[in-house]
Amino acid sequence: MKRNMARTLRLWAATVLLVAVQARAEAQTQVLLETTMGNIRIELNDKDTPLHSKNFKELVEKGFYDGILFHRLAYNFVIQAGDPASVNAEPGKMLGDVEEPYSVPAEICYPKMMHKRGALCMAREADENNPERVSSAYQFYIVYGKRFDDTMLDKAQERLDKTTNGQVKLTPEVREVYKTKGGLPHLDGQYTVFGEVVEGLDVVKNIQMVDVDDNLRPLNDIRIIRASLVLPSED
């Protein structure tokens, strides 16, 4: 009987280990942005936006984002980074117009991936030059936004009806997120959202509140010291 019990315990332990390994393998990639104003941990959506996730991970692994500035900050809107010219940019220089060698095909997964507060999204050129809404190779933004009431959401829906030809609708579930958490609903269905902040939303809040010039560049540089792939939190 003792031998059977020992065998059962070994099988149980092996099963627990296998489940843990499988869970770890299925976990989404996380990226840690160490900035001059604090750390931001982001989880990528590897499953639904594989092209964007792969591109972002490769750039992180190459050290592309190390030393880059948050070059565009808009209060109650977004913080944006990714221009390689920002690494050694002189104070006051306008940034964000760097030519890029490639683009990333759109992977718009609305409403699963929406512009809620903390969403990680890829920037892109405007519709008139980019009807397929392909994403930038390098530049990304993190949504801060604001909370919306029903009247504001109705206006956002009117705007979406024009910009998406009525294809994007703010469902009751989506509206509730924007009312309680906040974000930028008028951008839904038009930019690829490929991850979200899981730690450090307070850092995002503080960054988007700093003083900026007429081009929305911070008066005092805010830099990504280092970007790295990290294991998912155990919380």
Side-chain angles (χ1 to χ4, degrees):
M1 185 174 181
K2 289 182 178 179
R3 184 176 300 172
N4 289 338
M5 183 177 293
R7 182 172 181 273
T8 300
L9 288 173
R10 286 196 299 271
L11 288 173
W12 176 83
T15 301
V16 170
L17 178 61
L18 178 60
V19 169
V21 170
Q22 289 176 334
R24 177 68 70 183
E26 294 172 0
Q28 306 277 34
T29 302
Q30 291 192 357
V31 174
L32 181 66
L33 302 180
E34 301 172 57
T35 84
T36 50
M37 289 188 64
N39 293 348
I40 304 169
R41 181 186 285 259
I42 298 168
E43 185 169 272
L44 308 183
N45 189 330
D46 300 323
K47 180 179 178 181
D48 295 308
T49 54
L51 300 178
H52 284 72
S53 181
K54 179 176 182 291
N55 179 65
F56 198 72
K57 285 188 289 186
E58 289 177 348
L59 291 171
V60 168
E61 289 177 321
K62 292 175 182 176
F64 177 85
Y65 291 116
D66 296 356
I68 273 179
L69 300 181
F70 283 100
H71 66 269
R72 177 174 176 264
L73 310 181
Y75 178 66
N76 279 350
F77 198 68
V78 303
I79 63 173
Q80 184 168 331
D83 183 350
S86 71
V87 176
N88 298 308
E90 294 293 327
K93 179 182 178 181
M94 183 176 177
L95 297 167
D97 291 333
V98 64
E99 289 189 20
E100 298 180 344
Y102 64 91
S103 58
V104 183
E107 294 178 300
I108 297 171
C109 302
Y110 178 83
K112 183 175 182 179
M113 302 296 287
M114 55 193 285
H115 279 77
K116 64 183 179 181
R117 181 167 288 172
L120 172 70
C121 320
M122 222 62 186
R124 64 172 178 82
E125 292 188 5
D127 285 359
E128 54 264 31
N129 300 319
N130 180 22
E132 295 181 350
R133 293 172 171 166
V134 300
S135 296
S136 164
Y138 307 143
Q139 293 193 49
F140 68 90
Y141 62 93
I142 299 174
V143 172
Y144 192 74
K146 59 186 177 181
R147 291 186 177 88
F148 284 68
D149 60 25
D150 283 317
T151 300
M152 296 162 68
L153 287 169
D154 290 343
K155 290 181 179 178
Q157 183 62 71
E158 291 176 6
R159 186 170 175 179
L160 282 169
D161 287 342
K162 294 178 181 178
T163 55
T164 70
N165 295 319
Q167 297 300 305
V168 174
K169 297 297 182 183
L170 302 175
T171 66
E173 296 78 12
V174 168
R175 290 172 71 99
E176 187 63 22
V177 171
Y178 286 124
K179 287 159 66 173
T180 57
K181 187 177 180 69
L184 299 171
H186 65 280
L187 298 182
D188 279 338
Q190 301 159 81
Y191 295 78
T192 296
V193 181
F194 67 106
E196 66 177 310
V197 173
V198 292
E199 291 178 18
L201 196 55
D202 58 326
V203 177
V204 177
K205 177 182 179 180
N206 292 336
I207 291 175
Q208 57 93 41
M209 293 177 68
V210 307
D211 293 332
V212 298
D213 63 19
D214 292 341
N215 295 317
L216 300 182
R217 176 177 169 179
L219 297 181
N220 297 307
D221 288 345
I222 302 171
R223 194 175 299 277
I224 298 174
I225 303 168
R226 181 170 178 260
S228 56
L229 301 183
V230 293
L231 292 175
S233 295
E234 298 291 344
D235 318 348

